[in-house]
Amino acid sequence: MSVQVSDVRTALQNNQIVPNFQPIVSLHTGALVGFEVLARWQHPEIGAVLPENFIAIAEAYGLIGDLTDQVSSKAFHCAPDLPAPLFLAVNLSPAQLQDPNVPSHIANLATSASFPMDRVYIEITESALLDDLDSAKAMARRLKDLGCRLALDDFGTGYSSLAHLQALPFDELKIDRSFVSKMTTTRESRKIVAAIVGLGHSLGLITVGEGIETEEQADMLLSLGCELGQGYLYGKPAPAAQIPTMMSTSHIS
Ligand code: C2E
Ligand code: CA
Ligand code: CA
Ligand code: CA
């Protein structure tokens, strides 16, 4: 579909950008540990529109801040009953790393929804670090000071250096789906995943396998020492109304 910037503006004005929630589980026990918040545009005629159709436009036209606000605020409000220690993971766009107001803004949204900041993960893509490491560092520091935890998203695709990893206070590495989906069929992908898990652990980070679709992938990740997993095997992103069902069909450690 071809989306214009005016369509995205209208969607934001009409409050049509909503969060979906995808479970993240412990690979070891299968227990639910949290949800990633993923934006969907609930279009009155088309139905749910995927981010690939509107995030880039929102970024290009300066609307991504409003979009993040709308999605995260709704997510925090949908989840006040989420029992500890379950977390919500919110995505930030690279462009938002340049905006010094973003951390306090997210804190305000969480606080006004009574959602504790120490159960918020902020996901930043690896490629975002390449644009401006100094801004990323300052942003990461402020987010940590406000109590959130930080995840480096899509790891393995962005060519960041070890110096970047060391300079930033990440808590978690998310291994990109492109490696996970090939790891049971190509030895190179398997080796890359093993190296990422090892690197993460040597830096004291938790590792998360993204895009897990088969038991075989989950078993291999677990055997490599990866702690957490996310993917269609455990559940697709779903609307807030399905949180209770997702919670009751999984156990919480
Ligand atoms: P991401 O942050 O890497 O999110 C994971 C994407 O992988 C999601 O796509 C999710 O639906 C998909 N996924 C999860 N498990 C599987 C699986 O087992 N198989 C397959 N084939 N896909 C799986 P989605 O929701 O379409 O989002 C795409 C991207 O859009 C996200 O990638 C993220 O970069 C961006 N995005 C989504 N919501 C937001 C948002 O609120 N703000 C910002 N800035 N970006 C967002
Ligand atoms: Ca993400
Ligand atoms: Ca990702
Ligand atoms: Ca991605």
Side-chain angles (χ1 to χ4, degrees):
M1 72 182 287
S2 141
V3 173
Q4 311 294 317
V5 60
S6 56
D7 299 327
V8 181
R9 280 212 181 85
T10 307
L12 285 167
Q13 275 156 13
N14 295 344
N15 232 9
Q16 289 167 355
I17 310 288
V18 301
N20 270 11
F21 298 82
Q22 187 178 30
I24 301 177
V25 305
S26 158
L27 289 174
H28 191 59
T29 65
L32 182 69
V33 296
F35 293 99
E36 178 171 359
V37 174
L38 294 157
R40 295 290 181 269
W41 173 5
Q42 205 50 52
H43 193 284
E45 282 121 42
I46 304 170
V49 181
L50 290 173
E52 63 196 35
N53 296 298
F54 59 87
I55 294 279
I57 295 182
E59 286 174 343
Y61 290 89
L63 301 172
I64 193 69
D66 287 348
L67 191 146
T68 301
D69 284 2
Q70 208 165 102
V71 171
S72 42
S73 165
K74 285 178 189 169
F76 295 141
H77 274 103
C78 290
D81 302 329
L82 204 67
L86 296 191
F87 61 78
L88 287 182
V90 171
N91 290 284
L92 279 193
S93 283
Q96 295 183 276
L97 295 184
Q98 321 297 327
D99 179 352
N101 298 314
V102 165
S104 56
H105 206 63
I106 290 175
N108 288 340
L109 295 176
T111 307
S112 64
S114 303
F115 195 86
M117 281 295 272
D118 63 358
R119 289 200 280 130
V120 176
Y121 262 99
I122 299 293
E123 300 197 356
I124 298 170
T125 55
E126 192 193 3
S127 53
L129 305 182
L130 302 180
D131 298 346
D132 184 346
L133 186 61
D134 287 335
S135 307
K137 255 196 224 172
M139 173 73 67
R141 195 61 279 156
R142 274 193 297 272
L143 286 165
K144 293 286 286 189
D145 288 346
L146 289 164
C148 337
R149 285 174 286 172
L150 292 185
L152 188 51
D153 203 356
D154 299 352
F155 190 74
T157 62
Y159 312 100
S160 67
S161 71
L162 298 180
H164 286 138
L165 272 184
Q166 230 183 0
L168 290 152
F170 286 107
D171 301 280
E172 188 182 274
L173 272 190
K174 298 191 81 172
I175 306 164
D176 193 68
R177 172 162 63 91
S178 57
F179 304 112
V180 172
S181 61
K182 283 185 290 189
M183 71 182 296
T184 52
T185 49
T186 79
R187 189 198 302 231
E188 290 72 24
S189 295
R190 187 198 158 113
K191 283 186 173 165
I192 289 172
V193 172
I196 294 174
V197 172
L199 172 64
H201 289 171
S202 63
L203 293 169
L205 309 179
I206 297 170
T207 53
V208 187
E210 297 195 271
I212 302 174
E213 295 183 354
T214 68
E215 293 285 357
E216 205 186 350
Q217 290 162 353
D219 290 345
M220 192 176 277
L221 282 162
L222 181 63
S223 74
L224 294 174
C226 183
E227 288 90 354
L228 304 182
Q230 176 179 359
Y232 295 170
L233 179 65
Y234 308 106
K236 290 190 172 179
Q242 286 180 42
I243 291 179
T245 314
M246 291 192 275
M247 305 240 325
S248 65
T249 53
S250 52
H251 61 286
I252 299 161
S253 60

